[in-house]
Amino acid sequence: MIDPHAPAPPGPPPPWRGPARIPVRQATGRFLVLAGVFVCAACGLVYELELVALASYLIGDSVTQTSVVLSVMVFAMGIGSLAAKRLRHHAAAGFGAVEATLALFGGCSAMALYAVFAWTGDWGGLWADGPRWLLVAFSLAIGLLIGAEIPLLMELIQRIRRQDAGGAVADLFAADYVGALVGGLAFPFLLLPFFGQLTGALLTGAVNVVAGGCLVLGLFRRDLTCRARWLLLIANAAVLAVLAAAAVHVDDFERAARHAVYGRDVRVALQTDVQEIVLTGGTDGRPLDLFIDGRLRVSGHDERRYHEALVRPAMNGTHARVLILGGGDGLAAREVLRHPGVRHVDIVELDPAVVELAGRDPALADLNDHAYDDPRVHVTTADAFRWLRSAPEAAYDVVIADLPDPGITASTKLYSQEFYGLARRVLADSGRLSVHAGPVHSRPHVFWTVETTIRAAGLHTAPHRVSGHGSTSTADRAPGPVLTPRDWGFVLAAPDTRPPLDAARHALRPRMTGLPPSTLVHPRY
């Protein structure tokens, strides 16, 4: 028996309300919706790539950051698609609101993340601090908004002309994927080189809000109430105003953020095709510091201790022909050239701007004793791994690997068994290889993995280390000191069993055993 007072079961969804009242023909309207899909997809992918690039630059370990950003965004897109079902009966107004919000979040995300990084110091430990969670929060918010687009656009395109679901999905996703392709290509080849990360994100947000606003207010304005049209117009104008104001002040923001990161003694700041290079100090008695992608690479306080420990043990023997991998600052070359008997020095550096700066900046040139003016020094601009593959066999008595820390994903291949195998091939039978392997005290697992990997390439090793100052700071720097390692670890290696005695005498004990070597297909750092 049916209870007459029981609530009625939910009925079917409301029937289709008929074609939308658009000011153009149906074919033109469908084209405009698909064009909107194309533009929004391009903008959405730019936001994703911008978060990945900024996180990799600020935090490092690009594999982890890419995995975190993309997995969180894809998860959020699914949630956003489900949530958008509640808006499908107000698809035009909902889509307009989603695009305005997405343009604001996506356009300002780069500035927000960089501001937190600059004014709170280093990103620190694993996931315990705010800036990393802010990256996750932006990924989640942008993913939710991107996920809400497709269901609403599906509803809008069906409002123009009803068609089978399969055909509508095919049209919509074709435009979406092609837009993603254009956005993916525009980010590295257009936005980054011509506008930079901050202005590129702001410009993308402006394109996003204009495309969404024009589609809704121009094509579907008759589906909106007068109040909804005004609210959406005001929201779009406000978002554009915020993005435009940020773009006007982006240079001032970058200068202030750079001072917060590096201190107020910034003399040179270059963004090359490879990396960001910043020089501080070097005048009025201030020590010179060289930063690469926000990380301290050369500290005037104790760089001599580092470079002497890297170069001198390897020079104990025949050293007429020397190869330096990395070391574009010329400081390793300075130490090499101090040894009599050196006839030829090859430097293989990825970024020509580092070499140019080391030669023309007075403070840096003085620090490297004008090494690039020496006719024995020859520079090649190339990736060290690729260059070694075509280098002649047994061509060098000494190979110096003055490379970024192995924990940075971009340099992982330069600490692989394959790389050391190539280095061994260019060494003479009595040659020596010296490798900077990172701090021993704070990262012993990484250091001993480097040593194990070198031995796996058929070389005999003598690991050693030298102490650093622990940290440096300047009075003008905020919010905190630039941290430098408490020590530097090095591995001296040779094809035979006779590494130089001065390094062997100070070899580290005990050796951490049982570690697998790092390879290209299975990196261990």
Side-chain angles (χ1 to χ4, degrees):
M1 182 176 179
I2 299 177
D3 182 359
H5 301 289
W16 183 50
R17 294 177 295 164
R21 296 171 296 164
I22 57 176
V24 296
R25 293 183 303 171
Q26 286 185 346
T28 304
R30 284 177 57 80
F31 172 79
L32 292 175
V33 172
L34 293 175
V37 174
F38 172 88
V39 174
C40 293
C43 293
L45 194 64
V46 168
Y47 298 144
E48 293 183 30
L49 295 175
E50 169 256 316
L51 287 177
V52 168
L54 195 63
S56 300
Y57 161 56
L58 297 179
I59 305 174
D61 190 1
S62 59
V63 172
T64 300
Q65 309 317 322
T66 301
S67 301
V68 169
V69 170
L70 295 185
S71 58
V72 169
M73 292 190 83
V74 170
F75 164 77
M77 287 167 64
I79 303 300
S81 295
L82 291 174
K85 290 166 61 176
R86 296 178 176 271
L87 301 175
R88 71 185 190 276
H89 300 309
H90 307 282
F95 180 74
V98 164
E99 291 310 294
T101 308
L102 177 60
L104 181 64
F105 274 69
C108 296
S109 58
M111 289 188 75
L113 286 167
Y114 192 64
V116 172
F117 169 77
W119 277 280
T120 63
D122 202 359
W123 294 69
L126 189 53
W127 292 99
D129 54 343
R132 290 179 185 263
W133 285 111
L134 185 63
L135 172 66
V136 174
F138 269 113
S139 302
L140 187 64
I142 292 173
L144 286 170
L145 295 166
I146 291 175
E149 289 177 334
I150 293 298
L152 298 177
L153 286 165
M154 176 70 75
E155 189 71 22
L156 291 177
I157 202 169
Q158 291 285 54
R159 289 272 289 125
I160 293 177
R161 187 184 70 207
R162 198 72 168 177
Q163 69 177 119
D164 65 285
V169 167
D171 292 342
L172 214 62
F173 276 91
D176 184 78
Y177 293 151
V178 174
L181 171 66
V182 172
L185 295 177
F187 179 72
F189 296 115
L190 176 63
L191 294 176
L192 276 184
F194 291 101
F195 299 101
Q197 287 190 344
L198 304 186
T199 304
L202 294 170
L203 180 61
T204 303
V207 171
N208 198 167
V209 72
V210 168
C214 289
L215 183 64
V216 174
L217 294 173
L219 193 61
F220 293 97
R221 63 179 181 271
R222 295 174 184 172
D223 279 10
L224 303 173
T225 65
C226 181
R227 182 170 179 269
R229 285 197 294 270
W230 276 106
L231 285 175
L232 191 57
L233 185 62
I234 292 171
N236 286 348
V239 170
L240 271 178
V242 169
L243 296 175
V248 169
H249 294 96
V250 71
D251 290 336
D252 295 333
F253 170 83
E254 285 193 50
R255 280 192 293 270
R258 188 177 293 120
H259 288 158
V261 174
Y262 303 110
R264 299 193 176 277
D265 198 18
V266 175
R267 291 194 299 104
V268 178
L270 298 174
Q271 181 65 57
T272 72
D273 293 338
V274 179
Q275 57 203 351
E276 183 188 56
I277 306 169
V278 173
L279 275 181
T280 67
T283 59
D284 300 325
R286 296 175 180 266
L288 182 143
D289 290 335
L290 170 64
F291 295 84
I292 301 293
D293 281 346
R295 295 171 179 84
L296 184 64
R297 288 285 289 130
V298 172
S299 172
H301 287 278
D302 46 19
E303 65 82 16
R304 288 186 183 273
R305 183 182 290 109
Y306 166 87
H307 286 99
E308 287 174 359
L310 173 67
V311 173
R312 288 190 178 182
M315 301 295 286
N316 186 11
T318 305
H319 51 252
R321 303 162 299 169
V322 180
L323 169 65
I324 300 174
L325 302 173
D329 50 40
L331 299 173
R334 176 198 68 199
E335 296 300 323
V336 167
L337 294 171
R338 287 177 175 175
H339 290 76
V342 175
R343 296 202 309 267
H344 186 95
V345 180
D346 280 328
I347 299 177
V348 179
E349 168 61 47
L350 180 63
D351 192 348
V354 176
V355 176
E356 182 182 356
L357 191 63
R360 66 177 173 82
D361 182 80
L364 186 53
D366 286 342
L367 193 62
N368 63 37
D369 288 348
H370 300 273
Y372 287 113
D373 294 337
D374 194 304
R376 294 172 292 176
V377 175
H378 306 270
V379 180
T380 300
T381 302
D383 174 79
F385 193 102
R386 185 177 303 171
W387 187 89
L388 282 176
R389 296 185 68 176
S390 57
E393 295 185 22
Y396 298 98
D397 303 305
V398 177
V399 175
I400 307 292
D402 186 14
L403 300 165
D405 286 341
I408 302 173
T409 307
S411 66
T412 298
K413 70 177 182 179
L414 304 180
Y415 290 86
S416 65
Q417 182 177 340
E418 292 87 348
F419 179 79
Y420 294 127
L422 293 173
R424 184 184 189 279
R425 189 176 64 86
V426 303
L427 274 176
D429 291 339
S430 59
R432 281 87 58 208
L433 167 69
S434 182
V435 175
H436 161 236
V440 182
H441 180 270
S442 59
R443 303 177 67 196
H445 187 277
V446 171
F447 175 83
W448 288 110
T449 297
V450 174
E451 193 267 347
T452 299
T453 303
I454 294 174
R455 284 193 289 113
L459 294 163
H460 301 276
T461 62
H464 61 108
R465 69 176 174 181
V466 64
S467 62
H469 284 152
S471 68
T472 63
S473 63
T474 65
D476 293 335
R477 195 185 185 281
V482 178
L483 297 180
T484 59
R486 290 179 56 178
D487 63 14
W488 293 286
F490 306 93
V491 179
L492 184 65
D496 60 22
T497 59
R498 295 168 296 170
L501 293 179
D502 61 342
R505 189 166 58 244
H506 300 287
L508 293 177
R509 297 290 186 270
R511 173 181 278 117
M512 187 179 292
T513 59
L515 298 175
S518 181
T519 65
L520 290 179
V521 296
H522 198 161
R524 305 286 182 174
Y525 306 109

